[in-house]
Structure formats: structure tokens, C-alpha cells
Amino acid sequence: MTDESQLTAVSETVSHLAARWAQADKRILREVFPLLAEGRPVPVERIVAAAGATRSSVEEALESGRAGRDAEGRVVELSGLMLGPTMHRVEIGNIALFSCCALLAQLVPALLERPVRVESVDPVSRGLVVLDITPEGVTALEPREAVGSFVVTAPNAIAGDVGANFCRHVHHFTSPDSASAFAAADSRRYTLGIDQLHAAARMLYQEAWSG
């Protein structure tokens, strides 16, 4: 894949992801992320108070935003940020949350407007990739040769099972060799540098959550 075609593929996939939340009230949903960052299930009443909205408006936003709920109706996941566990641990101060994939893990600092540490398990080598990320970018990376993966998508696939058609393909890897072995198992996958993956996360923030 050439650099130009890769940029086009990333942009198209980001647009497919953003479309999942296109009809949701972002003003309300943005209030959920800092509440999730407290590390506990979030009662709807707390979102109502934080957003200054009616309960029916909050319920509609959560449904349109495809929020994950527990048996008591509390929010436990939104936009890939969840109470856990997954292969992508996101440390926010002394609280640990989890992300569905490497892209969403890199999106968290922009959503919360604060720095995080991400610890991801390489699905091939089983080694650990550690990133310190601020809203401005990745400030530390271990190992230094770590890279990421991405996947070509179609709108109907992302609108359906986003986990199977996107999340399970997007990881951090301890080395280019590890990422290449993962990508070789599926023709839709390709590798990205960590900075490129972060740029895709910023692109998704702009398309889906800013404003």
C-alpha cells in the first residue's frame, strides 16, 4: 500500500467510525467520559446532572451513542472506553480503564483533556507496549520500535459489528516484525507508525467528538 493509498484508507475508516455516533447528542455524551474516568459504573442520574439535560434526552443520547450498560442500567462503556478488562489498559491518574483497541486508547487524552498512560499487550509477541500520551501527542514510547496496525473497512461493516470488523484488528506491537506477522494473517490489515496511529485518533476526535 502506497503512502497516499494508506492515508485514503485511514481517512475512510475514520469516517466510517465517526458515522456510528453521527446521530447522537455529543453535548450529552461528552459528559460521560470524565464520569467513566472515575472508575465506576455511571448512573444515568449523574449524566442528567452533568449535562443539564432531561432524563429522556440522556437516554436517547446513550441509545444513539451505543453506550454499554450494566444490569442496573448504569453506563460502563462509551466509544470503546470501558471499565474493563481488554488488551489495552488506560491509566488516568490512579484509575485504570480499558479500551477496545489501540486507536481508541490513543483517543482518550483528547476526550478527557488530560494525559494518560496506555499499556497494550502485543497479540503476537505477548510483550507490553507502554505509551505516555497527552492531548497534544505521544510523549514517551517503550519499546521505541513499537508500531500499530489498522484495517480497511466498509461502512456497513462498521455500522454492524464494530468489534469484529475493526477493533480486533487494531493493536500496538512491540516491533515491526510482530505487526507484519499480524497483518499477514488478513489482507485487510496494514501497519502504521505510532505517530500515524495517533494522527488517526486525532482525526476521529475531530470528526466524531469535537465542537
Side-chain angles (χ1 to χ4, degrees), residues 60-173:
E60 182 178 349
L62 292 174
E63 182 175 355
S64 299
R66 308 186 188 209
R69 312 280 285 268
D70 66 9
E72 298 177 38
R74 299 173 298 182
V75 176
V76 295
E77 183 270 332
L78 180 63
S79 184
L81 184 64
M82 62 192 74
L83 296 181
T86 71
M87 296 176 70
H88 309 279
R89 175 186 173 97
V90 182
E91 295 181 358
I92 308 156
N94 61 354
I95 299 296
L97 296 181
F98 299 86
S99 172
C100 65
C101 70
L103 179 73
L104 274 300
Q106 293 208 30
L107 181 66
V108 174
L111 292 172
L112 295 179
E113 299 180 343
R114 58 185 296 188
V116 306
R117 168 164 285 192
V118 174
E119 296 181 351
S120 291
V121 178
D122 179 328
V124 176
S125 73
R126 311 310 294 182
L128 194 65
V129 178
V130 181
L131 309 90
D132 290 331
I133 311 174
T134 71
E136 288 71 41
V138 177
T139 60
L141 175 65
E142 181 63 35
R144 293 297 302 170
E145 62 269 25
V147 296
S149 64
F150 221 66
V151 63
V152 175
T153 60
N156 60 332
I158 293 293
D161 190 342
V162 68
N165 293 302
F166 180 77
C167 299
R168 74 182 186 89
H169 301 280
V170 181
H171 293 276
H172 293 127
F173 298 87

